[in-house]
Amino acid sequence: AQSVTQLDSQVPVFEEAPVELRCNYSSSVSVYLFWYVQYPNQGLQLLLKYLSGSTLVESINGFEAEFNKSQTSFHLRKPSVHISDTAEYFCAVRGVGDDKIIFGKGTRLHILP
Amino acid sequence: DAGVIQSPRHEVTEMGQEVTLRCKPISGHDYLFWYRQTMMRGLELLIYFNNNVPIDDSGMPEDRFSAKMPNASFSTLKIQPSEPRDSAVYFCASSKQGPNTEAFFGQGTRLTVV
C-alpha cells in the first residue's frame, strides 16, 4: 500500500519569493507521482507528474518537482510565486500495478503582498 | 469533452435523509474514483471502479454508504441515512486505463447535513 505525507498544512510566502512544498511518500513498489492544485471552490487539476525518465519535471506555469527515490520525496518548487498561485496543493502517488491514487492532506499556499 | 460532471453542486439535507450524489465520467475513461474531502482528513479515497466493477471499497466509512456504476457513463454515491459528520465535499474523478495516467476531477458536491 502507498501513503503520502505533506508535512506542511500551510505555507505563507511573500510575492516574488521562492517556495518549496514538501511531499514524502511510502511504497513497496515503484510509483508514479503527481502534484495537483485546487483553487477555491473548484476541483483538483493536475499540475505536473513524474512517470519515468528525467527526475525533474516542470509545469507550464513555472512550477517544478524533483523525484528523489533515495529520500522518497517529490517536493514542489517555484522560484518566484505570484498572487495567482494562492491555492491548495496536493501530492499524490499511484503504485505500479496498483490502480489507486492516494493523496496527501494538502498544503495551503498563502501569498503575502 | 465537458470533463467529469457532478450533480448537484450543493446539497443541504436533514439528518436521517437519504442523499444521492451523481457523477458522469469522461467518455472513454475506464476508472472512476469517489473521494471525500474534509479539513480534518484531507482527501480520502472511498471507492473506485474499473470498467464499471467496484474494485476496492475499503475506504467507504460505514454501511450507510453505497456506490454503484450501472454503466460506463454514470455512477452514484448514496448515503442512507445521512448524519452531520457526513458533511464534506465529495469528488468524483475518472482516468484512462493504465497506472501512469492521471485522474481528472469533477467540481465536487458540497454536502451539508443539518
Side-chain angles (χ1 to χ4, degrees):
Chain A
Q2 292 79 41
S3 66
V4 178
T5 301
Q6 292 183 247
L7 294 169
D8 305 303
S9 59
Q10 296 189 63
V11 172
V13 61
F14 287 102
E15 196 169 12
E16 298 184 6
V19 69
E20 179 179 81
L21 306 183
R22 296 179 292 170
C23 172
N24 289 89
Y25 69 92
S26 173
S27 177
S28 57
V29 300
S30 297
V31 298
Y32 303 111
L33 294 158
F34 308 87
W35 274 99
Y36 283 78
V37 58
Q38 184 181 31
Y39 298 104
N41 300 313
Q42 294 190 25
L44 280 72
Q45 306 170 34
L46 181 71
L47 190 60
L48 47 77
K49 61 184 177 182
Y50 169 77
L51 305 179
S52 64
S54 173
T55 57
L56 185 66
V57 291
E58 299 177 351
S59 72
I60 58 173
N61 58 352
F63 283 94
E64 64 178 30
E66 186 160 19
F67 170 56
N68 188 319
K69 188 175 181 179
S70 62
Q71 297 187 7
T72 60
S73 69
F74 191 54
H75 302 330
L76 181 69
R77 294 188 289 263
K78 189 171 185 179
S80 175
V81 296
H82 188 265
I83 195 74
S84 60
D85 295 324
T86 298
E88 189 156 17
Y89 293 80
F90 292 88
C91 183
V93 62
R94 195 171 196 179
V96 176
D98 188 355
D99 303 325
K100 292 190 288 189
I101 304 177
I102 304 300
F103 285 82
K105 289 194 173 183
T107 298
R108 197 171 296 274
L109 181 60
H110 292 283
I111 309 299
L112 307 171
Chain B
D1 201 310
V4 177
I5 299 173
Q6 292 186 247
S7 64
R9 288 294 308 278
H10 303 273
E11 176 80 36
V12 180
T13 190
E14 291 185 346
M15 182 174 63
Q17 296 297 305
E18 178 180 294
V19 176
T20 299
L21 312 181
R22 297 172 175 79
C23 174
K24 181 181 187 304
I26 293 173
S27 177
H29 281 193
D30 308 283
Y31 287 92
L32 185 139
F33 305 86
W34 281 101
Y35 290 89
R36 178 173 68 175
Q37 185 179 31
T38 61
M39 289 290 291
M40 291 297 296
R41 294 175 172 268
L43 204 61
E44 302 172 275
L45 176 63
L46 301 178
I47 184 172
Y48 76 95
F49 297 82
N50 179 218
N51 293 323
N52 313 338
V53 176
I55 302 301
D56 187 342
D57 66 353
S58 60
M60 297 285 261
E62 300 172 34
D63 291 345
R64 298 185 296 106
F65 286 70
S66 63
K68 294 181 180 180
M69 192 166 185
N71 56 62
S73 58
F74 184 65
S75 177
T76 59
L77 178 67
K78 186 176 295 186
I79 308 173
Q80 165 64 17
S82 58
E83 296 182 3
R85 59 192 167 127
D86 301 330
S87 297
V89 181
Y90 291 82
F91 286 103
C92 175
S94 69
S95 77
K96 291 182 179 179
Q97 188 81 15
N100 61 340
T101 57
E102 69 268 27
F104 292 80
F105 279 75
Q107 296 291 292
T109 296
R110 183 174 297 276
L111 173 65
T112 303
V113 183
V114 298

